[in-house]
PDB file of all heavy atoms in Angstrom:
ATOM      1  N   PHE A   2       0.863  -1.176  -0.006  1.00 97.00           N
ATOM      2  CA  PHE A   2       0.004   0.003  -0.002  1.00 97.00           C
ATOM      3  C   PHE A   2       0.907   1.237   0.000  1.00 97.00           C
ATOM      4  O   PHE A   2       1.767   1.370   0.874  1.00 97.00           O
ATOM      5  CB  PHE A   2      -0.905   0.034   1.231  1.00 97.00           C
ATOM      6  CG  PHE A   2      -2.038  -0.936   1.196  1.00 97.00           C
ATOM      7  CD1 PHE A   2      -1.828  -2.290   1.367  1.00 97.00           C
ATOM      8  CD2 PHE A   2      -3.344  -0.494   1.009  1.00 97.00           C
ATOM      9  CE1 PHE A   2      -2.876  -3.206   1.340  1.00 97.00           C
ATOM     10  CE2 PHE A   2      -4.407  -1.400   0.976  1.00 97.00           C
ATOM     11  CZ  PHE A   2      -4.180  -2.744   1.133  1.00 97.00           C
ATOM     12  N   LYS A   3       0.708   2.109  -0.945  1.00 97.00           N
ATOM     13  CA  LYS A   3       1.498   3.332  -1.000  1.00 97.00           C
ATOM     14  C   LYS A   3       0.628   4.479  -1.487  1.00 97.00           C
ATOM     15  O   LYS A   3      -0.369   4.262  -2.186  1.00 97.00           O
ATOM     16  CB  LYS A   3       2.717   3.167  -1.903  1.00 97.00           C
ATOM     17  CG  LYS A   3       2.400   2.729  -3.317  1.00 97.00           C
ATOM     18  CD  LYS A   3       3.680   2.464  -4.107  1.00 97.00           C
ATOM     19  CE  LYS A   3       3.387   1.961  -5.508  1.00 97.00           C
ATOM     20  NZ  LYS A   3       4.622   1.661  -6.255  1.00 97.00           N
ATOM     21  N   GLY A   4       1.010   5.700  -1.112  1.00 96.00           N
ATOM     22  CA  GLY A   4       0.167   6.811  -1.529  1.00 96.00           C
ATOM     23  C   GLY A   4       0.697   8.154  -1.098  1.00 96.00           C
ATOM     24  O   GLY A   4       1.755   8.276  -0.467  1.00 96.00           O
ATOM     25  N   LEU A   5      -0.086   9.200  -1.452  1.00 97.00           N
ATOM     26  CA  LEU A   5       0.234  10.587  -1.166  1.00 97.00           C
ATOM     27  C   LEU A   5      -0.974  11.263  -0.541  1.00 97.00           C
ATOM     28  O   LEU A   5      -2.116  10.917  -0.849  1.00 97.00           O
ATOM     29  CB  LEU A   5       0.623  11.333  -2.450  1.00 97.00           C
ATOM     30  CG  LEU A   5       1.816  10.805  -3.245  1.00 97.00           C
ATOM     31  CD1 LEU A   5       1.879  11.486  -4.601  1.00 97.00           C
ATOM     32  CD2 LEU A   5       3.113  11.026  -2.480  1.00 97.00           C
ATOM     33  N   GLU A   6      -0.710  12.251   0.326  1.00 96.00           N
ATOM     34  CA  GLU A   6      -1.770  13.044   0.950  1.00 96.00           C
ATOM     35  C   GLU A   6      -1.310  14.482   1.075  1.00 96.00           C
ATOM     36  O   GLU A   6      -0.114  14.737   1.274  1.00 96.00           O
ATOM     37  CB  GLU A   6      -2.096  12.523   2.355  1.00 96.00           C
ATOM     38  CG  GLU A   6      -2.626  11.128   2.419  1.00 96.00           C
ATOM     39  CD  GLU A   6      -2.621  10.554   3.820  1.00 96.00           C
ATOM     40  OE1 GLU A   6      -2.057  11.209   4.733  1.00 96.00           O
ATOM     41  OE2 GLU A   6      -3.164   9.457   4.012  1.00 96.00           O
ATOM     42  N   GLY A   7      -2.227  15.402   0.947  1.00 96.00           N
ATOM     43  CA  GLY A   7      -1.874  16.807   1.130  1.00 96.00           C
ATOM     44  C   GLY A   7      -3.081  17.640   1.458  1.00 96.00           C
ATOM     45  O   GLY A   7      -4.211  17.339   1.053  1.00 96.00           O
ATOM     46  N   GLU A   8      -2.873  18.715   2.204  1.00 96.00           N
ATOM     47  CA  GLU A   8      -3.934  19.668   2.507  1.00 96.00           C
ATOM     48  C   GLU A   8      -3.314  21.004   2.858  1.00 96.00           C
ATOM     49  O   GLU A   8      -2.157  21.080   3.293  1.00 96.00           O
ATOM     50  CB  GLU A   8      -4.821  19.177   3.658  1.00 96.00           C
ATOM     51  CG  GLU A   8      -4.106  18.993   4.976  1.00 96.00           C
ATOM     52  CD  GLU A   8      -5.035  18.485   6.058  1.00 96.00           C
ATOM     53  OE1 GLU A   8      -6.234  18.824   6.022  1.00 96.00           O
ATOM     54  OE2 GLU A   8      -4.575  17.737   6.938  1.00 96.00           O
ATOM     55  N   GLY A   9      -4.073  22.082   2.632  1.00 96.00           N
ATOM     56  CA  GLY A   9      -3.568  23.408   2.943  1.00 96.00           C
ATOM     57  C   GLY A   9      -4.691  24.389   3.148  1.00 96.00           C
ATOM     58  O   GLY A   9      -5.815  24.193   2.663  1.00 96.00           O
ATOM     59  N   LYS A  10      -4.403  25.459   3.873  1.00 96.00           N
ATOM     60  CA  LYS A  10      -5.361  26.536   4.100  1.00 96.00           C
ATOM     61  C   LYS A  10      -4.605  27.857   4.021  1.00 96.00           C
ATOM     62  O   LYS A  10      -3.577  28.031   4.693  1.00 96.00           O
ATOM     63  CB  LYS A  10      -6.040  26.385   5.464  1.00 96.00           C
ATOM     64  CG  LYS A  10      -7.121  27.419   5.725  1.00 96.00           C
ATOM     65  CD  LYS A  10      -7.819  27.153   7.059  1.00 96.00           C
ATOM     66  CE  LYS A  10      -8.939  28.144   7.325  1.00 96.00           C
ATOM     67  NZ  LYS A  10      -9.622  27.878   8.619  1.00 96.00           N
ATOM     68  N   PHE A  11      -5.122  28.788   3.198  1.00 97.00           N
ATOM     69  CA  PHE A  11      -4.415  30.026   2.938  1.00 97.00           C
ATOM     70  C   PHE A  11      -5.383  31.202   3.021  1.00 97.00           C
ATOM     71  O   PHE A  11      -6.462  31.170   2.424  1.00 97.00           O
ATOM     72  CB  PHE A  11      -3.766  29.988   1.546  1.00 97.00           C
ATOM     73  CG  PHE A  11      -2.912  28.774   1.305  1.00 97.00           C
ATOM     74  CD1 PHE A  11      -3.459  27.619   0.737  1.00 97.00           C
ATOM     75  CD2 PHE A  11      -1.571  28.778   1.642  1.00 97.00           C
ATOM     76  CE1 PHE A  11      -2.678  26.503   0.520  1.00 97.00           C
ATOM     77  CE2 PHE A  11      -0.781  27.659   1.435  1.00 97.00           C
ATOM     78  CZ  PHE A  11      -1.322  26.512   0.874  1.00 97.00           C
ATOM     79  N   ARG A  12      -5.001  32.256   3.754  1.00 96.00           N
ATOM     80  CA  ARG A  12      -5.784  33.475   3.812  1.00 96.00           C
ATOM     81  C   ARG A  12      -5.469  34.278   2.540  1.00 96.00           C
ATOM     82  O   ARG A  12      -4.348  34.740   2.343  1.00 96.00           O
ATOM     83  CB  ARG A  12      -5.421  34.261   5.067  1.00 96.00           C
ATOM     84  CG  ARG A  12      -6.098  35.621   5.198  1.00 96.00           C
ATOM     85  CD  ARG A  12      -7.620  35.528   5.280  1.00 96.00           C
ATOM     86  NE  ARG A  12      -8.127  34.655   6.310  1.00 96.00           N
ATOM     87  CZ  ARG A  12      -8.351  35.009   7.581  1.00 96.00           C
ATOM     88  NH1 ARG A  12      -8.100  36.252   7.973  1.00 96.00           N
ATOM     89  NH2 ARG A  12      -8.849  34.140   8.444  1.00 96.00           N
ATOM     90  N   VAL A  13      -6.470  34.441   1.682  1.00 96.00           N
ATOM     91  CA  VAL A  13      -6.258  35.102   0.397  1.00 96.00           C
ATOM     92  C   VAL A  13      -6.824  36.506   0.354  1.00 96.00           C
ATOM     93  O   VAL A  13      -6.541  37.271  -0.575  1.00 96.00           O
ATOM     94  CB  VAL A  13      -6.851  34.261  -0.772  1.00 96.00           C
ATOM     95  CG1 VAL A  13      -6.121  32.936  -0.886  1.00 96.00           C
ATOM     96  CG2 VAL A  13      -8.350  34.024  -0.564  1.00 96.00           C
ATOM     97  N   TYR A  14      -7.647  36.869   1.353  1.00 95.00           N
ATOM     98  CA  TYR A  14      -8.223  38.204   1.344  1.00 95.00           C
ATOM     99  C   TYR A  14      -8.637  38.590   2.755  1.00 95.00           C
ATOM    100  O   TYR A  14      -9.217  37.789   3.492  1.00 95.00           O
ATOM    101  CB  TYR A  14      -9.443  38.272   0.414  1.00 95.00           C
ATOM    102  CG  TYR A  14     -10.197  39.577   0.492  1.00 95.00           C
ATOM    103  CD1 TYR A  14      -9.731  40.724  -0.145  1.00 95.00           C
ATOM    104  CD2 TYR A  14     -11.388  39.658   1.217  1.00 95.00           C
ATOM    105  CE1 TYR A  14     -10.432  41.931  -0.066  1.00 95.00           C
ATOM    106  CE2 TYR A  14     -12.086  40.862   1.305  1.00 95.00           C
ATOM    107  CZ  TYR A  14     -11.603  41.992   0.653  1.00 95.00           C
ATOM    108  OH  TYR A  14     -12.284  43.170   0.742  1.00 95.00           O
ATOM    109  N   GLU A  15      -8.321  39.826   3.129  1.00 94.00           N
ATOM    110  CA  GLU A  15      -8.793  40.420   4.367  1.00 94.00           C
ATOM    111  C   GLU A  15      -9.261  41.828   4.067  1.00 94.00           C
ATOM    112  O   GLU A  15      -8.559  42.596   3.426  1.00 94.00           O
ATOM    113  CB  GLU A  15      -7.695  40.442   5.441  1.00 94.00           C
ATOM    114  CG  GLU A  15      -7.346  39.080   6.000  1.00 94.00           C
ATOM    115  CD  GLU A  15      -6.316  39.157   7.113  1.00 94.00           C
ATOM    116  OE1 GLU A  15      -5.629  40.197   7.203  1.00 94.00           O
ATOM    117  OE2 GLU A  15      -6.187  38.191   7.881  1.00 94.00           O
ATOM    118  N   GLY A  16     -10.434  42.188   4.481  1.00 92.00           N
ATOM    119  CA  GLY A  16     -11.004  43.500   4.193  1.00 92.00           C
ATOM    120  C   GLY A  16     -12.446  43.507   4.613  1.00 92.00           C
ATOM    121  O   GLY A  16     -12.766  43.528   5.803  1.00 92.00           O
ATOM    122  N   THR A  17     -13.330  43.483   3.626  1.00 94.00           N
ATOM    123  CA  THR A  17     -14.752  43.326   3.920  1.00 94.00           C
ATOM    124  C   THR A  17     -15.012  41.851   4.154  1.00 94.00           C
ATOM    125  O   THR A  17     -15.447  41.107   3.274  1.00 94.00           O
ATOM    126  CB  THR A  17     -15.610  43.853   2.763  1.00 94.00           C
ATOM    127  OG1 THR A  17     -15.233  45.194   2.458  1.00 94.00           O
ATOM    128  CG2 THR A  17     -17.097  43.806   3.134  1.00 94.00           C
ATOM    129  N   GLY A  18     -14.684  41.394   5.324  1.00 93.00           N
ATOM    130  CA  GLY A  18     -14.726  39.968   5.631  1.00 93.00           C
ATOM    131  C   GLY A  18     -13.384  39.313   5.360  1.00 93.00           C
ATOM    132  O   GLY A  18     -12.433  39.943   4.868  1.00 93.00           O
ATOM    133  N   ASP A  19     -13.283  38.032   5.686  1.00 96.00           N
ATOM    134  CA  ASP A  19     -12.069  37.241   5.468  1.00 96.00           C
ATOM    135  C   ASP A  19     -12.371  36.084   4.526  1.00 96.00           C
ATOM    136  O   ASP A  19     -13.424  35.436   4.656  1.00 96.00           O
ATOM    137  CB  ASP A  19     -11.545  36.688   6.791  1.00 96.00           C
ATOM    138  CG  ASP A  19     -11.183  37.793   7.782  1.00 96.00           C
ATOM    139  OD1 ASP A  19     -10.694  38.853   7.312  1.00 96.00           O
ATOM    140  OD2 ASP A  19     -11.390  37.597   8.985  1.00 96.00           O
ATOM    141  N   LEU A  20     -11.449  35.825   3.608  1.00 97.00           N
ATOM    142  CA  LEU A  20     -11.619  34.748   2.638  1.00 97.00           C
ATOM    143  C   LEU A  20     -10.418  33.820   2.703  1.00 97.00           C
ATOM    144  O   LEU A  20      -9.263  34.269   2.576  1.00 97.00           O
ATOM    145  CB  LEU A  20     -11.770  35.314   1.232  1.00 97.00           C
ATOM    146  CG  LEU A  20     -11.984  34.288   0.099  1.00 97.00           C
ATOM    147  CD1 LEU A  20     -13.318  33.565   0.288  1.00 97.00           C
ATOM    148  CD2 LEU A  20     -11.916  34.962  -1.261  1.00 97.00           C
ATOM    149  N   ASP A  21     -10.682  32.526   2.931  1.00 97.00           N
ATOM    150  CA  ASP A  21      -9.630  31.509   2.972  1.00 97.00           C
ATOM    151  C   ASP A  21      -9.823  30.527   1.828  1.00 97.00           C
ATOM    152  O   ASP A  21     -10.954  30.157   1.485  1.00 97.00           O
ATOM    153  CB  ASP A  21      -9.676  30.740   4.286  1.00 97.00           C
ATOM    154  CG  ASP A  21      -9.294  31.600   5.474  1.00 97.00           C
ATOM    155  OD1 ASP A  21      -8.442  32.487   5.317  1.00 97.00           O
ATOM    156  OD2 ASP A  21      -9.867  31.390   6.564  1.00 97.00           O
ATOM    157  N   LEU A  22      -8.705  30.087   1.269  1.00 98.00           N
ATOM    158  CA  LEU A  22      -8.681  29.034   0.252  1.00 98.00           C
ATOM    159  C   LEU A  22      -8.204  27.756   0.906  1.00 98.00           C
ATOM    160  O   LEU A  22      -7.190  27.743   1.612  1.00 98.00           O
ATOM    161  CB  LEU A  22      -7.757  29.418  -0.894  1.00 98.00           C
ATOM    162  CG  LEU A  22      -7.411  28.306  -1.902  1.00 98.00           C
ATOM    163  CD1 LEU A  22      -8.644  27.904  -2.703  1.00 98.00           C
ATOM    164  CD2 LEU A  22      -6.269  28.753  -2.822  1.00 98.00           C
ATOM    165  N   THR A  23      -8.921  26.644   0.679  1.00 97.00           N
ATOM    166  CA  THR A  23      -8.489  25.338   1.178  1.00 97.00           C
ATOM    167  C   THR A  23      -8.212  24.413   0.003  1.00 97.00           C
ATOM    168  O   THR A  23      -8.897  24.455  -1.025  1.00 97.00           O
ATOM    169  CB  THR A  23      -9.558  24.705   2.083  1.00 97.00           C
ATOM    170  OG1 THR A  23     -10.761  24.499   1.332  1.00 97.00           O
ATOM    171  CG2 THR A  23      -9.859  25.595   3.280  1.00 97.00           C
ATOM    172  N   LEU A  24      -7.196  23.571   0.147  1.00 97.00           N
ATOM    173  CA  LEU A  24      -6.819  22.594  -0.864  1.00 97.00           C
ATOM    174  C   LEU A  24      -6.653  21.240  -0.192  1.00 97.00           C
ATOM    175  O   LEU A  24      -6.215  21.146   0.961  1.00 97.00           O
ATOM    176  CB  LEU A  24      -5.507  22.987  -1.549  1.00 97.00           C
ATOM    177  CG  LEU A  24      -5.464  24.331  -2.275  1.00 97.00           C
ATOM    178  CD1 LEU A  24      -4.036  24.633  -2.738  1.00 97.00           C
ATOM    179  CD2 LEU A  24      -6.418  24.332  -3.459  1.00 97.00           C
ATOM    180  N   ARG A  25      -6.984  20.182  -0.878  1.00 97.00           N
ATOM    181  CA  ARG A  25      -6.760  18.832  -0.359  1.00 97.00           C
ATOM    182  C   ARG A  25      -6.677  17.827  -1.495  1.00 97.00           C
ATOM    183  O   ARG A  25      -7.182  18.063  -2.589  1.00 97.00           O
ATOM    184  CB  ARG A  25      -7.873  18.418   0.607  1.00 97.00           C
ATOM    185  CG  ARG A  25      -9.280  18.373   0.011  1.00 97.00           C
ATOM    186  CD  ARG A  25     -10.300  18.063   1.091  1.00 97.00           C
ATOM    187  NE  ARG A  25     -11.668  18.236   0.658  1.00 97.00           N
ATOM    188  CZ  ARG A  25     -12.523  17.240   0.463  1.00 97.00           C
ATOM    189  NH1 ARG A  25     -12.122  15.997   0.647  1.00 97.00           N
ATOM    190  NH2 ARG A  25     -13.771  17.476   0.095  1.00 97.00           N
TER     191      ARG A  25
END
């Protein structure tokens, strides 16, 4: 059994509210 995993969270905008981008 072999494999890869990944995830991330990035703040892409702050101003009128906050916007985060998530990847997985």
